[in-house]
Amino acid sequence: MSLPSVSSVDRPLRGILCMVLAVALFAAMDAAMKSLTPYYSAMQIACLRGALAWPLVVSWLLSTGRHKTLLNTRWSLHLLRAVLGVTMLWAFVFSLQSLALAEAYTIFFTAPLLITAMSAFWLKEYVAPRHWVAIALGLLTVGYMLKPDGDKLLSFGALMALLAAFCYAVSAITVRILGRREGTGNMVFWLMTLLSVGAGLLAWPDWQPLRSELWLSFVLIGVTGFGGQLAVTEAFKVAPAAIVAPFEYLALLWGIGFDIVLWQLYPEFSTLAGAAVIMLSGLYLVWQHKA
């Protein structure tokens, strides 16, 4: 049986609203994870990200009846998403050990550009020649920000943020493919489950006991991680990747706010200038999508 037409089920407005909500929730989750970096390894925090949200995911599945289809799934793509998810979270959390949220987000902004480029090859979604120019401009800007004399943005942390962006882009494409046949429940459950198990096994040799005084961060990671994962999965399921991905740029505003309020860190001009070029490149893709 052939796959259904993507355009017949697309709901761009719903996808955009889901992405805006997901960005806000994930920004709060990232701030909570950054607060844990002095106490736990990046891999243990990646495990906690999945494990703390897992009970909420299971409760949601049972209450809505979505658990009945969990075994009717494409295992190969879920395993791929799990590997990508573990790598992405480990790399991003590692980057937060040395970068401010706004700096990490600026590098991570490569992801929407990569998603748009990949959608042309893997999803056969149309990307006009002038869109490729915008993608190239954004990627060149990131390259400039990583140049040898690029101050602290040239660091292992910055490279880890770039690796996280690549993993996220590939994962977003797999969501688009899975969404043609599977529901949001399947995708969220298996990602959280495999992420918790995979990252937990890798973190086990250096596992540190959970501190009771950090309970608020643990609760925030669980709740925002659950809500954000539902929203972002739905966004990429119901709308073209090229449409919803650029709205992740709103994360910079959240990142700057959390940096200032929680850590009294103010963004440098070079960070804001680079982010502006990358954001404009991505927003241009949205405005010209149907051209």
Side-chain angles (χ1 to χ4, degrees):
M1 183 171 62
S2 61
L3 293 173
S5 170
V6 174
S7 60
S8 66
V9 297
D10 280 345
R11 288 175 285 174
L13 180 59
R14 179 180 175 85
I16 290 171
L17 292 176
C18 286
M19 180 57 73
V20 170
L21 174 61
V23 167
L25 293 172
F26 279 144
M29 182 190 73
D30 291 339
M33 290 196 300
K34 181 175 175 61
S35 71
L36 297 181
T37 55
Y39 310 101
Y40 307 110
S41 69
M43 192 59 74
Q44 182 171 347
I45 295 174
C47 172
L48 291 174
R49 184 264 183 270
L52 292 171
W54 194 84
L56 296 175
V57 173
V58 172
S59 299
W60 172 67
L61 290 173
L62 292 175
S63 65
T64 58
R66 287 180 169 88
H67 64 285
K68 299 176 182 179
T69 63
L70 289 179
L71 297 180
N72 183 20
T73 191
R74 296 182 64 178
W75 295 106
S76 59
L77 287 181
H78 284 296
L79 289 173
L80 173 60
R81 286 192 72 211
V83 172
L84 291 169
V86 170
T87 305
M88 179 195 71
L89 272 173
W90 168 78
F92 188 75
V93 173
F94 194 98
S95 75
L96 294 180
Q97 294 177 355
S98 58
L99 299 179
L101 271 177
E103 291 174 329
Y105 282 153
T106 298
I107 302 301
F108 195 77
F109 282 165
T110 312
L113 302 175
L114 294 174
I115 290 170
T116 302
M118 291 177 182
S119 67
F121 295 101
W122 289 356
L123 303 179
K124 307 304 180 184
E125 294 178 356
Y126 177 68
V127 179
R130 58 182 176 275
H131 299 171
W132 287 109
V133 173
I135 293 171
L137 179 61
L139 294 179
L140 286 174
T141 301
V142 172
Y144 175 79
M145 297 177 70
L146 293 172
K147 67 185 189 303
D149 58 347
D151 198 10
K152 62 182 177 181
L153 281 178
L154 181 74
S155 65
F156 193 62
L159 295 177
M160 288 297 98
L162 193 60
L163 173 61
F166 175 79
C167 292
Y168 179 82
V170 178
S171 181
I173 297 298
T174 64
V175 168
R176 187 77 170 138
I177 297 172
L178 276 170
R180 292 169 171 169
R181 286 189 174 180
E182 297 195 26
T184 302
N186 273 27
M187 289 184 277
V188 173
F189 174 80
W190 288 116
L191 178 61
M192 292 296 99
T193 300
L194 296 173
L195 171 63
S196 302
V197 174
L201 290 174
L202 294 173
W204 185 253
D206 299 313
W207 189 271
Q208 298 297 317
L210 303 186
R211 297 171 175 242
S212 59
E213 65 269 23
L214 299 174
W215 68 269
L216 182 58
S217 294
F218 297 142
V219 171
L220 281 174
I221 290 174
V223 173
T224 58
F226 166 67
Q229 197 63 52
L230 286 183
V232 75
T233 302
E234 183 71 7
F236 282 114
K237 176 186 173 184
V238 303
I243 284 289
V244 298
F247 282 87
E248 293 188 77
Y249 296 142
L250 294 173
L252 180 64
L253 300 179
W254 288 101
I256 292 174
F258 284 127
D259 281 338
I260 294 174
V261 173
L262 299 179
W263 298 286
Q264 292 73 55
L265 296 174
Y266 292 84
E268 297 181 357
F269 176 78
S270 59
T271 300
L272 294 177
V277 174
I278 299 168
M279 289 169 65
L280 289 173
S281 298
L283 291 173
Y284 176 79
L285 296 177
V286 175
W287 294 332
Q288 298 293 319
H289 177 69
K290 294 185 178 181

